[in-house]
């Protein structure tokens, strides 16, 4: 009789069978699930990717602006004239803000000063997840606004929760909409432009105005406008798709990085510019003038170290000033140069071999010429002057008599080589070319007047560069405001790297002219002793010219002084012009002292020693 199997063993066998069954079932289930995911993955990635990308796009596309940082505008020593600091843009997600757009727009308009209606429109833009509200907001202000918006959103969320507990569904929905609307505000990096030097070189630097409709910076004047492409760089953008508020990995996600703008280094010396502006302002005020300009140039290189305009403005708050003050009058305003022109006329005569500094002239008290009688600024009978005396005493009659020695067309050719009638293309927008009459309009009467500074017009930098030709040994060098080179919005490359030179008069003609100009400052001659700089030899020339108005001269005057020092080894050329002084002063008494202050400061600042040589003693009479 067989022995029965113990129950325990039979139970273990049943358990073993059950466990194996469950294990097999689990493997089958896992295989099924994996097969499902694999099939789904094949479908998404291989069979119909475009369909699912479209589904993702249907959920929403977000494009985020990545602003480029604008390049700095610097002086020659790297000191900032225009700079960019950390800032933020305030942006909105219209899918969240649209329902409560009026309330949010009122909040933003009050806190950021943005236009209410334009903001309202942006808060309601359809099919958009990104709209800028305000650009280039100082970080402190933007963060305060966003913090307050988050508090309002948090308060609305608490109110919604309370309404839910109270069973007030309508109130809950209202509060949730408010919370979403304020929660739809955010900030992004957006550098802020500022002008640490304030009014220093503001007429050159310019400023950024109200942003363009697309939020980009809008240059409104000066270098900011002239070199906008160079400074601005290129904004980038990040684009991605979202669904149910989350970024979709299978959507179209692209990032185009921003390209920051390039710095613009000028030839300006910020400290010298500051001093020049203060001296010019004082000069214009004391003379009761309408306006003034002052130019300080490096005689050897043509670098413009200071270019001052008065009136000017504070570039950090331009809206507080008259729009006429935004321009650089030194480049945009034209005027007759008056007797400073005699420097060009007489140096050309010497170069042409017609005269020397010692040429003797008999100068009557008046000179009848064709359509008019020419006189001098001082009354006199017949006087005997050398050419040096003609310049030193600023005789119109003596200049005309000397200019009679020119051949036809010769004076105009020289003035063209000096740069008159042509833009300097220095990089300042709105520059005028001045007026040098066409050869077809050049008559003997025209030449008489042009010889001593009438019937020709110039801008201040143009005339400074012409006088600087004498300081530079007869070689004209293009004036420059940009160190290196940069391309303007008109496509012109400007700067020291592309500046050209050309010989206008011989070195000997320039030397003789400089010696004649020294006699203008000599206290024994007493034409412009106020322009002297103690310890240095100074060469210069006064200018007083009638100002042209509608229908002729209007009875007001332009007074000026141009010169260089040290006279026998020039380092700086300075030109000061004041329009319509009401104190009765002329070029020597109004502009001469300003020249002296500016030249003395420049020579000390750049540690230029006196040459120690004796001043010119050319005879002025015979």
């Amino acid at each position: 009789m067989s022995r029965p199997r113990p129950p325990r063993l039979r139970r273990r066998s049943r358990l073993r069978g059950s466990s194996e069954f469950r294990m097999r079932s689990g493997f089958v289930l896992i295989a099924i699930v994996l097969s499902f995911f694999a099939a789904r993955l094949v479908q998404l990635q291989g069979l119909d990717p475009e369909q699912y990308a479209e589904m993702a796009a249907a959920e929403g596309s977000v494009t985020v602006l990545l602003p480029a940082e604008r390049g700095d505008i610097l002086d020659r020593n790297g000191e900032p004239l225009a700079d960019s600091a950390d800032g933020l843009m305030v942006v909105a997600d219209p899918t969240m803000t649209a329902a409560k757009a009026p309330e949010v727009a009122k909040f933003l308009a009050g806190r950021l000063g943005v236009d209410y209606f334009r903001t309202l429109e942006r808060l309601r833009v359809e099919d958009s997840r990104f709209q800028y509200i305000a650009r280039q907001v100082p970080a402190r202000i933007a963060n305060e606004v966003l913090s307050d918006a988050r508090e309002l959103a948090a308060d609305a969320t608490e109110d919604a929760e309370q309404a839910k507990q109270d069973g007030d569904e309508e109130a809950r929905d209202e509060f949730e909409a408010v919370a979403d609307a304020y929660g739809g505000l955010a900030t992004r990096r957006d550098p802020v432009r500022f002008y640490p030097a304030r009014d220093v070189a503001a007429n050159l630097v310019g400023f950024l105005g109200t942003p363009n409709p697309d939020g980009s910076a809008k240059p409104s004047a000066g270098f900011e406008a002239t070199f906008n492409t160079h400074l601005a760089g290129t904004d980038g953008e990040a684009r991605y798709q979202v669904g149910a508020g989350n970024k979709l990995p299978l959507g179209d996600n692209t990032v185009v990085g921003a390209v920051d703008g390039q710095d613009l280094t000028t030839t300006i010396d910020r400290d010298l510019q500051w001093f020049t502006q203060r001296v010019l302002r004082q000069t214009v005020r004391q003379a009761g003038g309408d306006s003034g300009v002052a130019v300080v140039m490096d005689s050897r290189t043509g670098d413009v170290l200071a270019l001052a305009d008065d009136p000017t403005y504070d570039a950090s708050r331009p809206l507080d000033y008259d729009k006429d003050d935004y321009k650089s009058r030194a480049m945009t305003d034209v005027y007759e140069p008056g007797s400073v022109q005699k420097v060009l006329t007489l140096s050309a005569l010497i170069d042409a071999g017609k005269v020397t500094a010692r040429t003797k002239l008999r100068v009557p008290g008046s000179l009848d010429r064709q359509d008019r009688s020419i006189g001098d600024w001082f009354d006199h009978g017949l006087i005997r002057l050398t050419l040096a005396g003609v310049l030193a005493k600023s005789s119109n009659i003596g200049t005309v008599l000397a200019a009679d020695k020119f051949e036809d067309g010769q004076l105009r050719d020289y003035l063209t080589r000096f740069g008159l009638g042509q833009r300097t293309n220095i990089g300042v927008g709105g520059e005028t070319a001045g007026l040098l009459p066409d050869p077809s309009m050049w008559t003997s009467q025209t030449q008489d007047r042009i010889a001593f500074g009438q019937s020709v017009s110039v801008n201040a930098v143009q005339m400074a560069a012409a006088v600087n030709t004498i300081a530079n040994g007869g070689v004209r060098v293009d004036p420059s405001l940009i160190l290196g080179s940069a391309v303007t919005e008109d496509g012109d490359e400007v700067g020291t790297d592309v500046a050209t030179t050309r010989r206008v008069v011989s070195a000997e003609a320039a030397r003789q002219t400089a010696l004649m100009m020294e006699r203008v400052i000599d206290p024994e001659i007493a034409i412009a002793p106020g322009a002297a700089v103690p310890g240095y030899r100074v060469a210069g020339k006064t200018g007083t010219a009638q100002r042209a108005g509608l229908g002729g001269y209007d009875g007001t005057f332009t007074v000026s002084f141009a010169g260089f020092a040290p006279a026998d080894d020039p380092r700086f050329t300075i030109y000061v012009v004041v329009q319509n002084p009401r104190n009765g002063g002329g070029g020597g008494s109004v502009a001469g002292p300003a020249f002296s202050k500016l030249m003395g400061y420049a020579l000390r600042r750049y540690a230029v020693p006196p040459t120690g040589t004796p001043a010119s003693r050319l005879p002025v009479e015979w």
Side-chain angles (χ1 to χ4, degrees), residues 242-429:
V242 295
N246 298 310
K247 184 176 180 180
L248 294 175
L250 296 178
D252 180 17
N253 301 305
T254 58
V255 175
V256 178
V259 178
D260 290 341
Q262 303 175 65
D263 291 345
L264 184 73
T265 302
T266 71
T267 60
I268 295 297
D269 177 332
R270 193 171 79 167
D271 290 347
L272 180 57
Q273 175 76 25
W274 179 89
F275 185 79
T276 303
Q277 289 183 204
R278 270 54 191 176
V279 170
L280 178 64
R281 179 179 300 171
Q282 181 184 45
T283 301
V284 173
R285 300 296 185 274
Q286 289 178 347
D290 292 341
S291 63
V293 299
V295 185
V296 181
M297 293 180 66
D298 185 312
S299 300
R300 302 166 185 173
T301 66
D303 289 4
V304 177
L305 304 176
L307 181 58
D309 292 271
D310 187 80
T312 187
Y313 69 100
D314 185 338
S316 63
R317 45 189 186 91
L319 298 182
D320 294 347
Y321 297 82
D322 192 298
K323 290 183 178 179
D324 287 341
D325 295 339
Y326 297 165
K327 65 181 180 179
S328 173
R329 291 177 173 83
M331 305 302 300
T332 62
D333 290 1
V334 295
Y335 55 90
E336 293 188 349
S339 293
V340 174
Q341 168 75 14
K342 293 169 184 173
V343 171
L344 313 185
T345 300
L346 299 187
S347 65
L349 275 168
I350 294 173
D351 182 71
K354 307 298 184 180
V355 294
T356 70
R358 297 175 182 270
T359 293
K360 300 174 181 179
L361 297 165
R362 295 178 181 272
V363 181
S366 64
L367 183 65
D368 293 329
R369 304 285 286 206
Q370 293 92 20
D371 62 337
R372 69 192 302 186
S373 179
I374 297 173
D376 280 330
W377 65 274
F378 60 102
D379 294 330
H380 62 83
L382 180 67
I383 53 177
R384 297 184 298 179
L385 299 177
T386 64
L387 193 70
V390 167
L391 189 67
K393 292 184 176 294
S394 198
S395 171
N396 294 340
I397 297 171
T399 302
V400 170
L401 291 174
D404 284 343
K405 300 179 184 294
F406 277 122
E407 298 174 9
D408 289 346
Q410 200 169 23
L411 176 58
R412 189 181 188 282
D413 288 344
Y414 271 107
L415 296 182
T416 299
R417 286 155 59 187
F418 272 114
L420 272 59
Q422 308 154 59
R423 292 182 178 86
T424 64
N425 291 325
I426 202 170
V428 176

Side-chain angles (χ1 to χ4, degrees), residues 101-119:
E103 179 178 338
V104 177
K106 182 178 179 181
F107 166 78
L108 293 170
R111 297 300 304 276
L112 295 172
V114 293
D115 181 77
Y116 170 81
F117 293 102
R118 184 176 298 174
T119 303

Side-chain angles (χ1 to χ4, degrees), residues 172-189:
R172 185 201 67 181
D173 292 344
E174 178 74 10
F175 287 129
E176 286 181 348
V178 171
D180 285 345
Y182 283 105
L185 300 178
T187 58
R188 298 286 189 277
R189 173 183 173 273

Side-chain angles (χ1 to χ4, degrees), residues 62-69 88-92 129-136 187-191 211-217 233-240 254-259:
V62 177
T63 301
V64 178
L65 180 69
L66 303 176
E69 182 168 337
L88 298 170
M89 68 173 76
V90 178
V91 300
R129 300 295 302 274
F130 180 91
Q131 288 290 311
Y132 90 89
I133 301 300
R135 293 290 308 270
Q136 297 185 346
T187 58
R188 298 286 189 277
R189 173 183 173 273
D190 197 14
N212 291 311
D214 64 355
S216 60
T234 305
D235 289 342
E237 69 174 25
R239 170 182 286 181
Y240 55 89
T254 58
V255 175
V256 178
V259 178

